[in-house]
Amino acid sequence: MKILGLSAHYHDSAAALVVDGVPVAAVQEERLSRRKNDAGFPVAAIEHCLEAGGIEPGDLDAVVFYEKPMLKFERILTMALREWPRTFASFPQAMKNTLGEKLWVKGLIKSWLGVPSSKILFTEHHRSHAAAAFLTAPTRAAAILTADGVGEWATLSVGRGERPRTCGEAGTKVDLLREIRFPHSLGMLYSTFTAFLGFQVNEGEYKVMGLASYGQPRFADQVRQVIRRTEGGAFQLDMRFFEYHTTAKRSYSKQFVDLFGPPRAPWDPLDPTSDEGRRHADVAASVQHVLEEILVDMCKALHDETQLPDLCLGGGVALNGVANARILRESGFERVFVPCAPGDAGCALGAALLADRVHFGNPDRDVPDHPYWGPELDAGELGRVAREDGLSVTEVASDAELLDRIARELHAGKIVGWMDGRTELGPRALGHRSILSAPHTAEQRDRLNKSIKFREEFRPFAPAVPTEHASTYFDLPPGGHRLARFMSGVFPVRPEHTGNLAAVTHVDGTARLQTVDRAVAPRFHALLEAYGRVSGVPVLLNTSFNLAGEPIVNRAVEGYSTFRRCGIDLLVAGRTIVNKERVAGRSADVEAKEAAE
Ligand SMILES: [Fe+2]
């Protein structure tokens, strides 16, 4: 059976193809359209998935959309009427936004793909998140918690998933038992603080988490005033402090500002050593602290209720690696699984898997435990483009030679753009579209920030380490290795190594590490081993291969364009190495063209 899953129209559109119960391809639209957080109908992603599966739209048995647009419309309409007349000004725009293509998804799918209505299915947003988390995890039974800004109505749901005892049997269940509904939302709470701290919502949440490490949670009681715990371990926001439910213009109210002080303007410099900067860091630390407190309590209760050893986390809130690590340590669950794409992009895959296992009742199948579901790299493209551009290109005879050479260059302080195999699904570069560097010194981190990533200095870089060496350098609790597979947990760096891992150790002594399994990413694993042989430490700094504000690169030519616009020293694809040295005796017209540029 061939099932196409789609997510679109909020942020991070994506498509995923599942054939006979196993994913064939899954990719975010932004990687192909080159528009960051592309929320449009994922035409290019669909095309890629169909091509990867070698099928035409007519071969599809079903197309599944990741949420129910009518329910979402009902929520927007109900909120607008409930808050009338405060919503008067924003009502026409809200209706215009929702009444367009967002509501008529079925028509869009029909017109783009030419499939009949009977083949188009809709699943609920949080069921898609739950399926993306549970059906991709190597577990047969698990508790599930999903949390995000909002889907249709739900903003957080808890439940459990069960797969049949053996692969090949039917009877998979993904049951959500309870939910918390809009406007009460952990995701919206965090996003409100993201906006208050002057960062872009849906993009700057990482920055709040990074900034939190510089602060003390001295505003925790104030945060507990805006989000109150209710009987039974749930929570409720005091809506007097918020405005996101009445207008798209502002997420927090005057009372919010009275409580936390003036907001930070996006263009204001952020210096955690100044008084103002310290207040901002303390506000970030406080919302982070309360978020963790609530999540840990809810997961503890879920553990008591289900008595299961495994927990699957989904939704955008599951990108909070500091909270995930606390859940693993404190909730009672032995293993915590977060998929490579817990946000809405991963819902395309979740919706397709859910339709396969639950709606159609197809037999259970193991889903390969890796994030590499996107387009395959055409490594030959790099050599072609670089030669045309007059840069020096080296083709290395063997993989062993290439790895040894790159390891030595990294040890000498070179910054390497590394492209290999299929693109990652989800927001993190996990060794297939990565910028790599030696992790040892703070100067290297500053060089990356200033000449390549052009980003704020308080944001930490992440290390990658072979799974078998992870505990030597990082203090991982049981289960920590697996949580770190997709960089989903933040853990302490062992104190004896912080001095030698300064570029990847955050101000509070932690790191958001990636553990690399030989079986999952053999070439990246081999590079880490090669670097270990040269430097004595098999750890590399791994940051996503993109410049600020751009999507992660996909094709070799995009990697090349990024390489030419920033301070990356070497670029690698397959066995091709490019550096910025000019080839002697290049044609005069190329030189003249460059001089003109
Ligand atoms: Fe979501």
Side-chain angles (χ1 to χ4, degrees):
M1 191 169 244
K2 299 171 184 70
I3 302 172
L4 184 71
L6 302 178
S7 63
H9 299 152
Y10 186 44
H11 51 91
D12 292 333
S13 296
L17 178 67
V18 169
V19 175
D20 296 334
V22 180
V24 168
V27 63
Q28 284 158 249
E29 185 71 2
E30 64 157 31
R31 305 291 159 88
L32 305 169
S33 72
R34 310 308 300 156
R35 280 190 296 272
K36 180 100 170 151
N37 302 124
D38 196 336
F41 191 73
V43 183
I46 292 171
E47 210 169 285
H48 168 73
C49 287
L50 296 180
E51 206 181 293
I55 60 171
E56 298 290 325
D59 301 326
L60 289 166
D61 295 288
V63 180
V64 198
F65 194 68
Y66 81 126
E67 64 179 13
K68 297 191 169 173
M70 275 297 181
L71 275 181
K72 199 166 189 169
F73 178 62
E74 176 198 285
R75 188 248 304 161
I76 291 163
L77 191 62
T78 308
M79 289 308 298
L81 296 175
R82 196 186 285 169
E83 300 297 329
W84 197 270
R86 282 204 293 159
T87 49
F88 175 75
S90 58
F91 186 74
Q93 191 56 42
M95 287 304 103
K96 202 170 143 227
N97 282 348
T98 332
L99 279 171
E101 54 181 21
K102 292 181 186 178
L103 194 57
W104 309 115
V105 173
K106 193 176 245 185
L108 260 176
I109 295 173
K110 272 167 69 176
S111 67
W112 275 106
L113 289 166
V115 293
S117 294
S118 57
K119 285 190 180 178
I120 301 171
L121 308 172
F122 294 86
T123 177
E124 275 154 13
H125 189 107
H126 275 248
R127 291 254 289 162
S128 299
H129 276 311
F134 173 64
L135 295 175
T136 60
T139 174
R140 304 208 81 81
I144 301 170
L145 185 143
T146 59
D148 65 1
V150 62
E152 297 96 355
W153 277 103
T155 66
L156 183 145
S157 60
V158 294
R160 60 187 291 158
E162 257 174 74
R163 290 167 59 193
R165 251 203 305 253
T166 52
C167 254
E169 280 178 50
T172 300
K173 289 183 193 159
V174 179
D175 296 326
L176 295 183
L177 309 168
R178 291 185 297 284
E179 66 183 27
I180 293 173
R181 289 186 151 211
F182 192 83
H184 308 289
S185 161
L186 287 180
M188 296 303 286
L189 173 81
Y190 212 81
S191 296
T192 299
F193 278 93
T194 303
F196 175 78
L197 290 168
F199 304 123
Q200 201 187 329
V201 169
N202 290 328
E203 198 47 42
E205 281 75 5
Y206 292 112
K207 299 182 188 178
V208 176
M209 201 178 81
L211 186 61
S213 309
Y214 286 85
Q216 294 299 321
R218 68 180 162 106
F219 294 103
D221 281 341
Q222 284 90 323
V223 179
R224 291 188 196 104
Q225 269 181 57
V226 308
I227 182 163
R228 288 191 312 267
R229 310 300 292 277
T230 57
E231 294 286 315
F235 58 83
Q236 215 171 30
L237 297 184
D238 184 334
M239 297 317 295
R240 287 174 306 168
F241 294 101
F242 299 92
E243 291 194 358
Y244 60 75
H245 55 305
T246 57
T247 170
K249 285 193 190 130
R250 217 174 19 257
S251 48
Y252 50 87
S253 69
K254 190 181 162 301
Q255 284 95 320
F256 190 97
V257 176
D258 292 343
L259 207 54
F260 296 102
R264 177 183 161 264
W267 52 85
D268 281 349
L270 225 174
D271 173 12
T273 58
S274 71
D275 282 353
E276 229 6 32
R278 207 167 299 124
R279 178 172 67 86
H280 294 137
D282 289 347
V283 169
S286 304
V287 67
Q288 175 66 29
H289 181 82
V290 173
L291 175 88
E292 290 168 23
E293 202 171 77
I294 293 172
L295 283 170
V296 167
D297 283 356
M298 294 188 96
C299 291
K300 264 186 195 163
L302 191 57
H303 182 252
D304 290 346
E305 182 184 338
T306 60
Q307 292 293 311
L308 289 166
D310 290 347
L311 170 67
C312 294
L313 291 175
V317 175
L319 287 166
N320 194 305
V322 180
N324 295 343
R326 271 197 67 183
I327 291 169
L328 176 64
R329 274 199 310 268
E330 299 174 36
S331 67
F333 286 104
E334 288 168 28
R335 301 193 298 176
V336 174
F337 297 107
V338 178
C340 58
D344 286 0
C347 283
L349 182 57
L353 288 168
L354 187 73
D356 183 75
R357 307 289 199 277
V358 179
H359 180 81
F360 292 109
N362 287 329
D364 173 66
R365 298 285 304 272
D366 282 331
V367 171
D369 195 10
H370 66 70
Y372 310 115
W373 297 110
E376 178 81 39
L377 184 77
D378 171 5
E381 190 179 59
L382 176 60
R384 290 195 295 277
V385 176
R387 275 190 200 98
E388 210 168 284
D389 201 21
L391 288 201
S392 118
V393 177
T394 310
E395 304 284 353
V396 182
S398 74
D399 234 25
E401 191 190 329
L402 178 117
L403 296 172
D404 183 61
R405 196 163 166 164
I406 297 302
R408 286 177 196 287
E409 296 278 16
L410 284 161
H411 190 49
K414 295 280 167 52
I415 293 173
V416 174
W418 176 261
M419 299 181 283
D420 186 31
R422 296 181 68 174
T423 301
E424 298 91 346
L425 174 67
R428 278 151 193 167
L430 297 166
H432 277 199
R433 300 291 186 276
S434 292
I435 295 172
L436 306 175
S437 139
H440 312 300
T441 65
E443 291 73 38
Q444 191 76 350
R445 179 197 60 207
D446 295 344
R447 194 185 146 208
L448 268 159
N449 268 328
K450 291 202 174 95
S451 69
I452 296 174
K453 298 295 281 194
F454 309 117
R455 67 182 199 173
E456 302 83 355
E457 281 170 22
F458 63 88
R459 289 177 68 195
F461 285 110
V465 59
T467 305
E468 57 274 31
H469 298 303
S471 291
T472 306
Y473 301 95
F474 305 97
D475 186 7
L476 294 171
H481 291 77
R482 183 54 182 73
L483 185 59
R485 177 174 288 203
F486 304 143
M487 268 188 196
S488 306
V490 173
F491 298 103
V493 179
R494 288 197 182 277
E496 63 272 31
H497 291 293
T498 50
N500 199 24
L501 295 174
V504 292
T505 303
H506 203 16
V507 62
D508 60 356
T510 62
R512 183 162 55 92
L513 72 149
Q514 177 196 357
T515 50
V516 182
D517 257 41
R518 193 190 306 271
V520 172
R523 209 151 170 265
F524 189 38
H525 185 275
L527 179 66
L528 289 163
E529 294 281 10
Y531 184 73
R533 284 193 295 277
V534 174
S535 71
V537 181
V539 180
L540 284 171
L541 180 155
N542 169 19
T543 183
S544 54
F545 197 158
N546 63 328
L547 302 184
E550 295 182 4
I552 297 176
V553 303
N554 172 39
R555 291 174 54 191
V557 65
E558 291 146 13
Y560 184 76
S561 152
T562 306
F563 165 73
R564 293 286 271 121
R565 287 179 290 134
C566 70
I568 296 175
D569 300 305
L570 291 173
L571 185 59
V572 183
R575 288 189 198 148
T576 306
I577 305 172
V578 175
N579 66 38
K580 286 186 175 143
E581 279 164 27
R582 289 277 159 202
V583 174
R586 292 166 63 239
S587 64
D589 60 323
V590 173
E591 297 285 357
K593 199 174 141 210
E594 273 192 8
E597 282 169 11

